[in-house]
């Protein structure tokens, strides 16, 4: 389980990269991803992006992440987890103390992603610009149910969730405690 099976990035590399179209049949169950540091990702155009310190899911990769802990990771986008055109699902996970320089301290997804989280706890995550716990952009349709958000922070646009460009989030039976933002919610 997560307390026994640890992938430690030791502050120099990411925990896991899925970028080959892994399907929802890919199950990551009972791991701890800690101390990950995102490494620059090249989309093939020479522009480097620093994405997902703990886990990074790109190019329609859509794993299910269950009974796992994502903690103390760092990236420019998605300190704990980053997803691009992903349909990832989290269930019974603890996402804590992750940091993003820009967006999504805990999780950042974008570009027609479909993010689902159930029974997860987002705690103590921070982002330099927006979305201390979560950040969604560009036609995401996140579904978040029975999740707890505590002590997440960001200076702008929400300590808990930053939503832009047609994102359509749904929060059901979630609890928000002691999150903070310098301004805008």
């Amino acid at each position: 389980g997560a307390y026994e099976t640890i992938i430690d990035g030791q502050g120099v590399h990411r925990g896991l990269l899925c970028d080959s179209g892994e399907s929802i049949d890919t199950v990551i169950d009972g791991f701890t991803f800690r101390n990950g540091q995102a490494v620059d990702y090249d989309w093939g155009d020479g522009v480097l992006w620093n994405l997902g310190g703990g886990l990074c899911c790109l190019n329609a990769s859509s794993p299910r992440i269950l009974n796992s802990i994502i903690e103390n990771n760092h990236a420019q986008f998605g300190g704990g987890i980053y997803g691009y055109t992903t349909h990832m699902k989290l269930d019974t996970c603890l996402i804590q103390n992750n940091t993003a320089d820009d967006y999504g301290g805990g999780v950042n997804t974008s570009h027609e992603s479909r993010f689902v989280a159930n029974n997860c706890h987002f705690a103590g995550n921070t982002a330099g610009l927006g979305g201390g716990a979560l950040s969604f952009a560009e036609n995401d349709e996140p579904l978040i149910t029975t999740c707890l958000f505590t002590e997440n922070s960001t200076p702008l646009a929400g300590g808990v969730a930053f939503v832009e460009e047609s994102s359509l989030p749904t929060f059901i039976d979630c609890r928000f405690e002691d999150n903070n933002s310098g301004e805008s919610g």
Side-chain angles (χ1 to χ4, degrees):
Y3 293 101
E4 301 286 328
T5 311
I6 298 169
I7 297 175
D8 192 324
Q10 301 175 336
V12 294
H13 55 83
R14 170 187 301 116
L16 178 67
L17 173 64
C18 295
D19 72 346
S20 299
E22 292 84 356
S23 74
I24 200 70
D25 294 328
T26 302
V27 178
I28 300 162
D29 188 352
F31 287 88
T32 292
F33 296 91
R34 76 165 52 130
N35 303 321
Q37 171 61 53
V39 293
D40 291 336
Y41 186 87
D42 186 349
W43 292 99
D45 59 2
V47 177
L48 300 178
W49 293 86
N50 193 265
L51 309 169
L55 296 97
C56 188
C57 300
L58 308 171
N59 304 321
S61 295
S62 300
R64 286 183 291 158
I65 304 163
L66 313 171
N67 306 306
S68 293
I69 300 169
I70 296 94
E71 65 182 3
N72 303 321
N73 300 289
H74 175 261
Q76 181 179 3
F77 297 95
I81 301 172
Y82 180 82
Y84 180 89
T85 63
T86 183
H87 288 56
M88 85 174 73
K89 295 183 179 185
L90 271 65
D91 197 331
T92 316
C93 292
L94 173 61
I95 298 92
Q96 68 179 357
N97 302 323
N98 299 288
T99 305
D101 294 337
D102 289 342
Y103 295 106
V107 177
N108 177 238
T109 65
S110 65
H111 297 83
E112 299 179 16
S113 291
R114 177 79 169 131
F115 175 78
V116 176
N118 179 59
N119 195 35
C120 294
H121 185 183
F122 297 84
N125 300 289
T126 61
L129 293 177
L134 301 171
S135 175
F136 307 111
E138 300 183 32
N139 296 312
D140 290 328
E141 294 180 2
L143 174 62
I144 295 91
T145 58
T146 59
C147 290
L148 174 61
F149 297 86
T150 57
E151 299 179 9
N152 300 286
S153 64
T154 186
L156 176 66
V160 175
F162 179 79
V163 181
E164 68 174 345
E165 298 180 27
S166 301
S167 295
L168 301 169
T170 301
F171 292 87
I172 300 170
D173 295 325
C174 294
R175 197 167 81 204
F176 302 89
E177 297 177 353
D178 299 321
N179 300 285
N180 85 62
S181 173
E183 60 180 271
S184 301

